[in-house]
Amino acid sequence: MLQYLIIQLDDTSTSYCHYYNGKRNRNLISIDTLKSGIMFGMKENLMIQYILPDYELPDEYYEVLESIDHSKIASSGSPYASVADVVVLNGWNKDYAFDIEGVYVLRVDKRTLFEKTSEILKVLKECARLNIVITDVEKFSDADFETYKSVLDSFSKELEALYVAGKTPQLNLLTDRMMLDGMNNCNAGSDSITLAPDGRFYVCPAFYLAPDDEDYGLGKSKVSVGSLASGLDIKNPQLYRLSHAPLCRNCDAYQCKRCVWLNRKTTYEVNTPSHEQCVVAHLERNASRALLMDIRKHGTFLPEKEDIKEISYLDPFDVRKEW
Ligand code: SF4
């Protein structure tokens, strides 16, 4: 069931996920489209999330934005970073001044993550929550998987020390799985939908921002799923639901994003993940398991949660016949 309406206010509004936003020309949503989008959200009882641009909006826009409950996503370079609920850092900046109560998305490629692990893990004690998004996860090699394992181990040791010291930092890659009892994926196209400046709906911002000529073998990537004028029209909506994802519905890497845009890009199917996405998510799952056990050596921790069970695979595709 739809729960969230994401409104991409401008073509240049930051990415906060795996996709790259290469748009440099401003294209602000019209005030009428914005108002209609908000009305749509109200009628459908959706929680609204605005993705703000890196420039000041005209006053009349800000009044309209504030006319309804919402959350704000802005890049660290946006004039709205100080009032955003989620601040996005595009790339690593060791001099960035984090807010101890802030929630951040750090978008980095694997190379930066691997090379700057010891700097990045220090952020865990400088903010309330850090979401690390690896922007080239589909390019992981077997050697990268090994490196990622040791990166997660370094983050785990830092988290364990902080938890033992009475702090409760959150890192999406490790602490989410410890807290979850069921899937908590992105669910674009199922739980959320995006309204773009052109007045059309898209499964997520990535499907709007795809270059006009991008084609992964299925025709154009930039495909809308309806508009404010004609209504929402998602073809085969069941394909975006967990119940119709044969691998994911049996999986317990609950923290996995299950990114349908990455799925489409890598396997041509929105409900079929790539090997890389699954292995990365399982390395995180297994590291979360080890972290939970390590923290529990120091005392009672999350007593209501069962241990995360040991499994023998990293890609559910390998055990699909057993399910
Ligand atoms: S790890 Fe793979 S199978 Fe499991 S939820 Fe993520 S994408 Fe789906």
Side-chain angles (χ1 to χ4, degrees):
M1 197 179 82
L2 268 190
Q3 297 176 49
Y4 302 98
L5 175 65
I6 298 161
I7 303 185
Q8 171 97 14
L9 292 174
D10 189 281
D11 279 10
T12 60
S13 294
T14 186
S15 165
Y16 57 92
C17 203
H18 291 294
Y19 63 93
Y20 171 70
N21 185 358
K23 305 261 190 216
R24 296 291 172 264
N25 295 329
R26 292 180 184 181
N27 177 32
L28 182 60
I29 195 168
S30 76
I31 197 84
D32 289 339
T33 303
L34 177 59
K35 286 178 183 168
S36 303
I38 291 171
M39 185 57 72
F40 176 87
M42 283 171 70
K43 280 189 191 153
E44 300 292 326
N45 202 19
L46 305 178
M47 175 56 99
I48 292 183
Q49 299 174 336
Y50 298 123
I51 316 179
L52 288 140
D54 283 6
Y55 61 87
E56 293 267 3
L57 294 167
D59 287 348
E60 59 172 339
Y61 276 75
Y62 212 67
E63 282 164 24
V64 174
L65 297 185
E66 295 297 332
S67 67
I68 187 164
D69 262 359
H70 65 273
S71 49
K72 296 185 182 76
I73 300 171
S75 87
S76 57
S78 167
Y80 302 104
S82 62
V83 293
D85 300 279
V86 179
V87 175
V88 181
L89 282 86
N90 285 297
W92 172 238
N93 173 2
K94 70 179 171 45
D95 298 321
Y96 186 75
F98 290 88
D99 175 342
I100 192 70
E101 291 181 358
V103 174
Y104 296 90
V105 169
L106 172 61
R107 298 182 65 250
V108 279
D109 58 19
K110 60 181 181 180
R111 188 169 154 202
T112 307
L113 179 63
F114 296 169
E115 288 179 1
K116 304 291 181 189
T117 304
S118 55
E119 289 179 18
I120 295 171
L121 60 77
K122 290 188 189 141
V123 174
L124 294 174
K125 53 175 173 279
E126 295 173 9
C127 66
R129 179 175 172 87
L130 180 64
N131 289 334
I132 295 180
V133 175
I134 305 170
T135 51
D136 52 358
V137 73
E138 72 278 15
K139 294 187 185 146
F140 265 58
S141 63
D142 286 348
D144 292 330
F145 292 142
E146 284 306 310
T147 309
Y148 190 49
K149 221 158 121 181
S150 57
V151 165
L152 290 170
D153 199 42
S154 301
F155 277 104
S156 281
K157 288 197 171 74
E158 182 71 9
L159 284 164
E160 182 185 349
L162 289 167
Y163 273 80
V164 170
K167 309 224 165 68
T168 51
Q170 293 181 27
L171 173 68
N172 64 325
L173 308 178
L174 290 169
T175 61
D176 284 6
R177 179 60 185 84
M178 294 196 311
M179 316 284 174
L180 290 167
D181 293 317
M183 277 293 179
N184 185 34
N185 319 125
C186 165
N187 295 333
S190 162
D191 291 7
S192 68
I193 207 73
T194 292
L195 175 66
D198 63 1
R200 294 180 170 277
F201 294 114
Y202 294 83
V203 168
C204 81
F207 287 81
Y208 169 64
L209 293 165
D212 288 338
D213 57 353
E214 189 173 75
D215 178 347
Y216 299 131
L218 287 170
K220 296 279 185 270
S221 295
K222 183 172 176 172
V223 181
S224 69
V225 288
S227 68
L228 283 169
S230 61
L232 203 53
D233 179 25
I234 304 178
K235 308 282 183 224
N236 295 316
Q238 72 280 2
L239 294 181
Y240 296 93
R241 294 183 203 131
L242 183 62
S243 56
H244 283 69
L247 289 177
C248 303
R249 72 177 175 221
N250 290 300
C251 177
D252 78 345
Y254 298 149
Q255 87 297 341
C256 178
K257 271 194 179 297
R258 211 167 68 77
C259 175
V260 295
W261 174 76
L262 264 183
N263 289 354
R264 189 180 192 275
K265 181 176 177 181
T266 53
T267 69
Y268 300 162
E269 302 274 359
V270 292
N271 60 350
T272 305
S274 66
H275 173 68
E276 292 78 12
Q277 186 170 190
C278 288
V279 174
V280 163
H282 277 77
L283 292 172
E284 293 160 3
R285 176 216 182 270
N286 293 347
S288 304
R289 174 178 182 271
L291 175 60
L292 183 58
M293 291 196 301
D294 286 343
I295 295 175
R296 282 177 167 164
K297 286 179 192 155
H298 301 277
T300 308
F301 179 69
L302 297 174
E304 70 288 2
K305 301 278 174 209
E306 290 180 6
D307 285 344
I308 301 171
K309 68 173 195 225
E310 189 167 15
I311 52 175
S312 57
Y313 57 88
L314 286 174
D315 184 346
F317 186 80
D318 297 337
V319 293
R320 65 195 183 284
K321 291 192 178 127
E322 294 168 26
W323 288 348

